[in-house]
Amino acid sequence: MKHLALLTFALALYVALITAKSPYQQVLQHSRIRGRQHGPNVCALQQVQGSNKKYFTNCKQWYHRKICGKPTVITYECCPGYEKLQGEKGCPSALPLSNIYNTLGVVGATTTKMYSERAELQPEIEGPGSFTIFAPSNEAWSTLPAEILDALVSNVNIELLNALHYHMVNRRLTTEDLKHGMVVPSMYQDLNVLIHHYPNGIVTVNCARLMKADQHATNGVVHVIDRVITAVTNTIQQSIEGDDLLETLNTAVAAAGLEQVLDSEGQYTFFAPTNEAFEKINPETLNRILGDPVALKDLLNYHILKTVQCSESIVAGTPMETLQGTALEVGCDGSEMTLNGKAIITSKDHLGTNGVIHYISELLIPDSAKTLAELAEGSTVSTALDLFSQAGLSSHITGSEAVTLLAPTNDAFKDTTLRVTPEVKRLLRNHIVKEQLSSKHLYHGQVLETLGGKKLRVFVYRNAVCIENTCIAAHDKKGRYGSLFHIDKVLTPPVGTVMDVLKGDNRFSTLVGAIQRAGLTEMLNQQGTYTVFAPTNEAFSAMPRGELNKLMGNSRQLSDLLKYHIGEELLVSGGVGSYTRLKSLQGDKLELNMRNYTVNVNRVPVAEADMMATNGVVFAVSSIIQPVARTAGDEAAESIVRQDSAMRAPIQTIRPGELARRYHSSRQVRRTQ
């Protein structure tokens, strides 16, 4: 029965929400359903603790029980247009319809009602007609600055009457009629009021929130709002020009050529840096940006949203697109409006005819206006940045050169202490690519040229994008001229062919001899994309002498064995997932996985990974790799193991002396099958 009740409730909620037309009606309907257990026409509201602010909310807000990060309590009230009856449950009675003047008293806007009488507006809103009045609450009037209120009440027949007429529209407008971005002429000289109806159900008029909406009257409708609104006549640009606090911003807007945008029709939100905000920036950085029209335009566009966001429309952090193309997270913390989580907005809701201005105390510098050095500040690549500086490469990361910096994260240097020697300087030059790149546009097989003259290859795998032995560890940052890639280890460019790598390492002397006996030297010196799992001398010496001699004396069997250790595609360790298969040159597939940051091939751990060659990559292994023959039952078991990313199954160890016998035995079985 409990499940049936829940299903019935969910179905009723779904039907109610899809039939509601506007966002406001949707949250109202949600609140009505949440409150119906208390009787008919009861709405559940969330009230911010310690304040009088109440909200109809959607499902997400209901379960979070927070508004602007502050806890809420649930209160139950009569839904708009209904009232209680003594002795009855809920709010069964519709409010009796009366004229607007009387309705102001019913909905608690008694101060507006009083001022209507004093301004001799009462006969108009008692008489015939069809009006909409946005009535400031009693609290809204009480918080009006004393000098403004005094000016209104000292001249009730003109100033106060004009102010009240500006709160009125000469036709009936319910929340269903109040569309986002709508402009409606008021009854004061036809000056417009600006309507915004947000997806979260909040409706504003000149950035004042509708607290009690759709209170119907015989001659119109009353909406109670949370502040007294004033006429808007200036554009955003005109407002900036007329404010001494925005003098530096005004100069910057002119230099960037944005005056026409901010003076034209539109729906913008401008987070306007004050003079103080500009003064906080390093003078060298500020002068560079102010002297660069492209960077300056990007910087200013990063402060401008494509939509109007009044402060009262924000109940939680939300990413919003800027004219620059990237997003700002606009949020709130209690009564404070926040940007990217910081409470830097000092003055809110300065309305213009084409948007709204919020004053901010810090300049927001987008990545697209930064140098490489500025992109790296405060990030996880500070060690690499210090090394580039010590190596005398600062000009490449602070200037206007189009480059991409491949910067190893600080973790890449945990077990290594690098001193800037000539060799290290050459290595660091190969971490700077000669063009500005975006990781989104990298493709498999792409070749990048470094300042050091090396050619670096790009490998795109299902789970990673890698450049030689290193993989991109985080989203790249694209600056004014250069891009910053965070990479997971120090990059080592290829130094020769696979045979050169093997010959240059004494651990592989036996393997080099075996390759020569098998006639594979030429292949491993030619162009290719090989992944070589190279057994060390230790791996060969672990074999019984007789077995080893027999193997070395049979070039065909030796060739087959060695080809089983060579993958036909180039795979670096960053491309190995929880289960990866790689076809060998011998024809069978090798099975790889990453466990505790170690690559395993056919359950043999790799001793050293990612020794890069111009025609492949070498992995050192301390055992000869055993081909695994499987039955149908083995395959089923392996399928289960593959689903376990931790790979808890024990590793099977095989005596190296048995390797040749098992290998040839398994090959013979496959031939007879």
Side-chain angles (χ1 to χ4, degrees), residues 131-171:
F131 309 112
T132 297
I133 183 167
F134 299 101
S137 66
N138 295 346
E139 186 179 354
W141 285 107
S142 67
T143 56
L144 202 63
E147 62 274 14
I148 296 177
L149 187 58
D150 289 344
L152 292 175
V153 299
S154 64
N155 191 348
V156 293
N157 293 327
I158 298 177
E159 296 297 337
L160 184 58
L161 181 62
N162 290 343
L164 290 172
H165 270 145
Y166 184 66
H167 287 73
M168 294 178 63
V169 175
N170 198 14
R171 69 177 192 267

CSV table of all heavy atoms in Angstrom, one decimal, residues 131-171:
chain,number,residue,atom,x,y,z
A,131,PHE,N,-6.7,46.9,-14.3
A,131,PHE,CA,-5.3,47.3,-14.0
A,131,PHE,C,-4.5,46.2,-13.4
A,131,PHE,O,-5.0,45.2,-12.9
A,131,PHE,CB,-5.4,48.5,-12.9
A,131,PHE,CG,-6.3,49.6,-13.3
A,131,PHE,CD1,-7.4,49.8,-12.6
A,131,PHE,CD2,-6.0,50.5,-14.3
A,131,PHE,CE1,-8.3,50.9,-12.9
A,131,PHE,CE2,-6.8,51.5,-14.7
A,131,PHE,CZ,-8.0,51.7,-13.9
A,132,THR,N,-3.2,46.4,-13.5
A,132,THR,CA,-2.3,45.5,-12.8
A,132,THR,C,-1.5,46.5,-11.9
A,132,THR,O,-0.9,47.5,-12.4
A,132,THR,CB,-1.3,44.8,-13.7
A,132,THR,OG1,-2.1,43.9,-14.6
A,132,THR,CG2,-0.3,44.0,-12.9
A,133,ILE,N,-1.4,46.1,-10.6
A,133,ILE,CA,-0.6,46.9,-9.7
A,133,ILE,C,0.5,46.1,-9.1
A,133,ILE,O,0.2,45.0,-8.5
A,133,ILE,CB,-1.4,47.7,-8.7
A,133,ILE,CG1,-0.5,48.6,-7.8
A,133,ILE,CG2,-2.2,46.7,-7.8
A,133,ILE,CD1,-1.2,49.6,-6.9
A,134,PHE,N,1.7,46.5,-9.2
A,134,PHE,CA,2.9,45.8,-8.5
A,134,PHE,C,3.0,46.6,-7.2
A,134,PHE,O,3.6,47.6,-7.1
A,134,PHE,CB,4.1,45.9,-9.4
A,134,PHE,CG,4.0,45.2,-10.7
A,134,PHE,CD1,3.7,45.9,-11.8
A,134,PHE,CD2,4.0,43.8,-10.8
A,134,PHE,CE1,3.6,45.3,-13.1
A,134,PHE,CE2,3.9,43.2,-12.0
A,134,PHE,CZ,3.7,43.9,-13.2
A,135,ALA,N,2.5,46.0,-6.1
A,135,ALA,CA,2.3,46.7,-4.9
A,135,ALA,C,3.5,46.4,-3.9
A,135,ALA,O,3.6,45.2,-3.5
A,135,ALA,CB,1.0,46.3,-4.2
A,136,PRO,N,4.3,47.4,-3.6
A,136,PRO,CA,5.4,47.1,-2.6
A,136,PRO,C,4.9,46.6,-1.3
A,136,PRO,O,3.9,47.2,-0.8
A,136,PRO,CB,6.1,48.5,-2.5
A,136,PRO,CG,5.8,49.2,-3.8
A,136,PRO,CD,4.4,48.8,-4.1
A,137,SER,N,5.6,45.7,-0.7
A,137,SER,CA,5.1,45.2,0.6
A,137,SER,C,5.4,46.3,1.7
A,137,SER,O,6.1,47.3,1.4
A,137,SER,CB,5.9,44.0,1.0
A,137,SER,OG,7.3,44.3,1.2
A,138,ASN,N,4.8,46.1,2.8
A,138,ASN,CA,5.1,47.1,3.9
A,138,ASN,C,6.6,47.2,4.2
A,138,ASN,O,7.1,48.3,4.5
A,138,ASN,CB,4.3,46.7,5.2
A,138,ASN,CG,2.8,46.7,5.0
A,138,ASN,OD1,2.3,47.3,4.0
A,138,ASN,ND2,2.0,46.1,5.9
A,139,GLU,N,7.2,46.0,4.2
A,139,GLU,CA,8.7,46.1,4.5
A,139,GLU,C,9.4,46.8,3.4
A,139,GLU,O,10.4,47.5,3.7
A,139,GLU,CB,9.2,44.6,4.6
A,139,GLU,CG,10.6,44.5,5.1
A,139,GLU,CD,11.1,43.1,5.2
A,139,GLU,OE1,10.3,42.2,5.1
A,139,GLU,OE2,12.3,42.9,5.5
A,140,ALA,N,9.0,46.7,2.2
A,140,ALA,CA,9.7,47.4,1.1
A,140,ALA,C,9.6,48.9,1.3
A,140,ALA,O,10.6,49.6,1.1
A,140,ALA,CB,9.0,47.0,-0.2
A,141,TRP,N,8.5,49.4,1.7
A,141,TRP,CA,8.4,50.8,2.0
A,141,TRP,C,9.3,51.3,3.2
A,141,TRP,O,9.9,52.3,3.1
A,141,TRP,CB,6.9,51.2,2.3
A,141,TRP,CG,6.0,51.3,1.1
A,141,TRP,CD1,5.1,50.4,0.7
A,141,TRP,CD2,6.0,52.2,0.0
A,141,TRP,NE1,4.4,50.7,-0.4
A,141,TRP,CE2,5.0,51.9,-0.9
A,141,TRP,CE3,6.8,53.4,-0.2
A,141,TRP,CZ2,4.7,52.6,-2.1
A,141,TRP,CZ3,6.5,54.1,-1.4
A,141,TRP,CH2,5.5,53.7,-2.3
A,142,SER,N,9.3,50.4,4.2
A,142,SER,CA,10.1,50.8,5.4
A,142,SER,C,11.6,50.8,5.2
A,142,SER,O,12.3,51.4,5.9
A,142,SER,CB,9.7,49.8,6.5
A,142,SER,OG,10.2,48.5,6.2
A,143,THR,N,12.0,50.0,4.2
A,143,THR,CA,13.5,50.0,3.9
A,143,THR,C,13.9,51.0,2.8
A,143,THR,O,15.1,51.1,2.5
A,143,THR,CB,13.9,48.6,3.4
A,143,THR,OG1,13.1,48.2,2.2
A,143,THR,CG2,13.7,47.6,4.5
A,144,LEU,N,13.0,51.8,2.3
A,144,LEU,CA,13.3,52.8,1.3
A,144,LEU,C,14.1,53.9,2.1
A,144,LEU,O,13.8,54.3,3.2
A,144,LEU,CB,12.0,53.4,0.8
A,144,LEU,CG,12.1,54.1,-0.6
A,144,LEU,CD1,12.5,53.2,-1.7
A,144,LEU,CD2,10.7,54.8,-0.9
A,145,PRO,N,15.2,54.4,1.5
A,145,PRO,CA,16.0,55.4,2.1
A,145,PRO,C,15.1,56.6,2.5
A,145,PRO,O,14.2,57.0,1.8
A,145,PRO,CB,17.0,55.9,1.0
A,145,PRO,CG,17.2,54.6,0.2
A,145,PRO,CD,15.8,54.0,0.2
A,146,ALA,N,15.4,57.1,3.7
A,146,ALA,CA,14.6,58.2,4.3
A,146,ALA,C,14.4,59.4,3.4
A,146,ALA,O,13.3,60.0,3.3
A,146,ALA,CB,15.1,58.6,5.7
A,147,GLU,N,15.5,59.8,2.7
A,147,GLU,CA,15.4,61.0,1.9
A,147,GLU,C,14.5,60.8,0.7
A,147,GLU,O,13.8,61.7,0.3
A,147,GLU,CB,16.8,61.4,1.4
A,147,GLU,CG,17.6,60.5,0.5
A,147,GLU,CD,18.4,59.4,1.3
A,147,GLU,OE1,18.1,59.3,2.5
A,147,GLU,OE2,19.2,58.7,0.7
A,148,ILE,N,14.5,59.6,0.2
A,148,ILE,CA,13.6,59.3,-1.0
A,148,ILE,C,12.1,59.3,-0.5
A,148,ILE,O,11.2,59.8,-1.1
A,148,ILE,CB,14.0,58.0,-1.6
A,148,ILE,CG1,15.4,58.1,-2.2
A,148,ILE,CG2,12.9,57.6,-2.7
A,148,ILE,CD1,15.9,56.8,-2.9
A,149,LEU,N,11.9,58.6,0.6
A,149,LEU,CA,10.5,58.5,1.2
A,149,LEU,C,10.0,59.9,1.5
A,149,LEU,O,8.8,60.2,1.2
A,149,LEU,CB,10.5,57.6,2.4
A,149,LEU,CG,9.1,57.2,3.0
A,149,LEU,CD1,8.2,56.6,1.9
A,149,LEU,CD2,9.3,56.3,4.2
A,150,ASP,N,10.9,60.7,2.1
A,150,ASP,CA,10.4,62.1,2.5
A,150,ASP,C,10.1,62.9,1.3
A,150,ASP,O,9.1,63.6,1.3
A,150,ASP,CB,11.6,62.8,3.3
A,150,ASP,CG,11.8,62.2,4.7
A,150,ASP,OD1,10.9,61.5,5.2
A,150,ASP,OD2,12.8,62.5,5.3
A,151,ALA,N,10.8,62.7,0.2
A,151,ALA,CA,10.5,63.5,-1.0
A,151,ALA,C,9.2,63.0,-1.6
A,151,ALA,O,8.5,63.9,-2.2
A,151,ALA,CB,11.7,63.2,-2.0
A,152,LEU,N,8.9,61.7,-1.5
A,152,LEU,CA,7.6,61.3,-2.0
A,152,LEU,C,6.4,61.8,-1.2
A,152,LEU,O,5.4,62.3,-1.7
A,152,LEU,CB,7.6,59.7,-2.0
A,152,LEU,CG,8.5,59.1,-3.0
A,152,LEU,CD1,8.5,57.5,-2.8
A,152,LEU,CD2,8.2,59.4,-4.5
A,153,VAL,N,6.5,61.6,0.1
A,153,VAL,CA,5.3,61.9,1.0
A,153,VAL,C,5.2,63.4,1.2
A,153,VAL,O,4.1,63.9,1.6
A,153,VAL,CB,5.4,61.2,2.3
A,153,VAL,CG1,5.4,59.7,2.2
A,153,VAL,CG2,6.6,61.6,3.1
A,154,SER,N,6.2,64.2,0.9
A,154,SER,CA,6.1,65.6,1.0
A,154,SER,C,5.4,66.2,-0.2
A,154,SER,O,5.0,67.4,-0.2
A,154,SER,CB,7.5,66.3,1.2
A,154,SER,OG,8.3,66.1,0.1
A,155,ASN,N,5.2,65.5,-1.2
A,155,ASN,CA,4.6,66.0,-2.4
A,155,ASN,C,3.7,64.9,-3.0
A,155,ASN,O,3.9,64.3,-4.0
A,155,ASN,CB,5.6,66.4,-3.5
A,155,ASN,CG,5.0,67.2,-4.6
A,155,ASN,OD1,3.8,67.2,-4.8
A,155,ASN,ND2,5.8,67.8,-5.4
A,156,VAL,N,2.6,64.6,-2.2
A,156,VAL,CA,1.8,63.4,-2.5
A,156,VAL,C,1.1,63.5,-3.8
A,156,VAL,O,0.8,62.5,-4.5
A,156,VAL,CB,0.8,63.1,-1.4
A,156,VAL,CG1,1.6,62.7,-0.1
A,156,VAL,CG2,-0.1,64.3,-1.1
A,157,ASN,N,0.7,64.7,-4.2
A,157,ASN,CA,-0.2,64.8,-5.4
A,157,ASN,C,0.6,64.7,-6.7
A,157,ASN,O,0.0,64.5,-7.8
A,157,ASN,CB,-0.9,66.2,-5.4
A,157,ASN,CG,-1.9,66.2,-4.3
A,157,ASN,OD1,-2.5,65.2,-3.9
A,157,ASN,ND2,-2.1,67.4,-3.7
A,158,ILE,N,1.9,64.8,-6.6
A,158,ILE,CA,2.7,64.7,-7.8
A,158,ILE,C,3.7,63.5,-7.7
A,158,ILE,O,3.6,62.5,-8.4
A,158,ILE,CB,3.5,66.0,-8.1
A,158,ILE,CG1,2.5,67.2,-8.4
A,158,ILE,CG2,4.4,65.9,-9.4
A,158,ILE,CD1,3.1,68.5,-8.6
A,159,GLU,N,4.7,63.7,-6.8
A,159,GLU,CA,5.8,62.7,-6.7
A,159,GLU,C,5.2,61.3,-6.3
A,159,GLU,O,5.5,60.3,-6.9
A,159,GLU,CB,6.9,63.1,-5.8
A,159,GLU,CG,7.6,64.4,-6.2
A,159,GLU,CD,8.4,64.2,-7.5
A,159,GLU,OE1,8.7,63.1,-7.8
A,159,GLU,OE2,8.6,65.2,-8.2
A,160,LEU,N,4.5,61.3,-5.2
A,160,LEU,CA,3.9,60.0,-4.8
A,160,LEU,C,3.0,59.4,-5.8
A,160,LEU,O,3.0,58.2,-6.0
A,160,LEU,CB,3.3,60.2,-3.4
A,160,LEU,CG,2.8,58.9,-2.7
A,160,LEU,CD1,3.9,57.9,-2.5
A,160,LEU,CD2,2.1,59.2,-1.4
A,161,LEU,N,2.1,60.2,-6.3
A,161,LEU,CA,1.1,59.7,-7.3
A,161,LEU,C,1.9,59.2,-8.6
A,161,LEU,O,1.5,58.1,-9.1
A,161,LEU,CB,0.2,60.8,-7.7
A,161,LEU,CG,-0.9,60.4,-8.8
A,161,LEU,CD1,-1.8,59.4,-8.2
A,161,LEU,CD2,-1.7,61.7,-9.2
A,162,ASN,N,2.9,59.9,-9.0
A,162,ASN,CA,3.7,59.4,-10.2
A,162,ASN,C,4.4,58.1,-9.8
A,162,ASN,O,4.4,57.2,-10.7
A,162,ASN,CB,4.7,60.5,-10.5
A,162,ASN,CG,4.1,61.7,-11.2
A,162,ASN,OD1,3.0,61.7,-11.6
A,162,ASN,ND2,4.9,62.8,-11.2
A,163,ALA,N,4.9,58.0,-8.6
A,163,ALA,CA,5.6,56.8,-8.2
A,163,ALA,C,4.6,55.6,-8.2
A,163,ALA,O,4.9,54.5,-8.7
A,163,ALA,CB,6.3,56.9,-6.9
A,164,LEU,N,3.4,55.8,-7.7
A,164,LEU,CA,2.4,54.7,-7.6
A,164,LEU,C,2.0,54.4,-9.0
A,164,LEU,O,1.8,53.2,-9.4
A,164,LEU,CB,1.3,55.1,-6.8
A,164,LEU,CG,1.5,55.2,-5.3
A,164,LEU,CD1,0.4,55.8,-4.5
A,164,LEU,CD2,1.9,53.8,-4.7
A,165,HIS,N,1.8,55.4,-9.9
A,165,HIS,CA,1.4,55.1,-11.3
A,165,HIS,C,2.4,54.3,-12.0
A,165,HIS,O,2.1,53.5,-12.9
A,165,HIS,CB,1.1,56.4,-12.0
A,165,HIS,CG,-0.4,56.8,-11.9
A,165,HIS,ND1,-0.8,58.1,-11.9
A,165,HIS,CD2,-1.5,56.1,-11.9
A,165,HIS,CE1,-2.1,58.2,-11.8
A,165,HIS,NE2,-2.6,57.0,-11.8
A,166,TYR,N,3.7,54.5,-11.6
A,166,TYR,CA,4.8,53.7,-12.3
A,166,TYR,C,4.7,52.2,-11.9
A,166,TYR,O,5.2,51.4,-12.6
A,166,TYR,CB,6.2,54.3,-11.9
A,166,TYR,CG,7.3,53.5,-12.7
A,166,TYR,CD1,7.4,53.6,-14.1
A,166,TYR,CD2,8.2,52.7,-12.0
A,166,TYR,CE1,8.4,53.0,-14.7
A,166,TYR,CE2,9.2,52.0,-12.7
A,166,TYR,CZ,9.3,52.2,-14.0
A,166,TYR,OH,10.3,51.5,-14.7
A,167,HIS,N,4.0,52.0,-10.8
A,167,HIS,CA,3.8,50.6,-10.4
A,167,HIS,C,2.6,50.0,-11.0
A,167,HIS,O,2.2,48.8,-10.7
A,167,HIS,CB,3.7,50.5,-8.8
A,167,HIS,CG,5.0,50.7,-8.1
A,167,HIS,ND1,5.6,52.0,-8.0
A,167,HIS,CD2,5.8,49.9,-7.4
A,167,HIS,CE1,6.7,51.9,-7.3
A,167,HIS,NE2,6.9,50.6,-6.9
A,168,MET,N,1.9,50.7,-11.9
A,168,MET,CA,0.7,50.2,-12.5
A,168,MET,C,0.8,50.1,-14.0
A,168,MET,O,1.5,50.8,-14.6
A,168,MET,CB,-0.5,51.2,-12.1
A,168,MET,CG,-0.8,51.2,-10.6
A,168,MET,SD,-2.1,52.4,-10.3
A,168,MET,CE,-3.5,51.7,-11.2
A,169,VAL,N,0.0,49.1,-14.5
A,169,VAL,CA,-0.1,48.8,-15.9
A,169,VAL,C,-1.6,48.9,-16.2
A,169,VAL,O,-2.4,48.4,-15.5
A,169,VAL,CB,0.5,47.5,-16.3
A,169,VAL,CG1,0.2,47.2,-17.8
A,169,VAL,CG2,2.0,47.5,-16.0
A,170,ASN,N,-2.0,49.5,-17.4
A,170,ASN,CA,-3.4,49.7,-17.7
A,170,ASN,C,-4.0,48.5,-18.4
A,170,ASN,O,-4.7,48.6,-19.4
A,170,ASN,CB,-3.5,51.0,-18.6
A,170,ASN,CG,-4.9,51.5,-18.6
A,170,ASN,OD1,-5.7,51.1,-17.8
A,170,ASN,ND2,-5.2,52.4,-19.5
A,171,ARG,N,-3.7,47.3,-17.9
A,171,ARG,CA,-4.4,46.1,-18.3
A,171,ARG,C,-4.1,45.0,-17.3
A,171,ARG,O,-3.1,45.1,-16.5
A,171,ARG,CB,-4.0,45.7,-19.7
A,171,ARG,CG,-2.6,45.2,-19.9
A,171,ARG,CD,-2.5,44.8,-21.4
A,171,ARG,NE,-1.2,44.0,-21.7
A,171,ARG,CZ,-0.1,44.5,-22.1
A,171,ARG,NH1,0.0,45.9,-22.3
A,171,ARG,NH2,0.9,43.8,-22.4
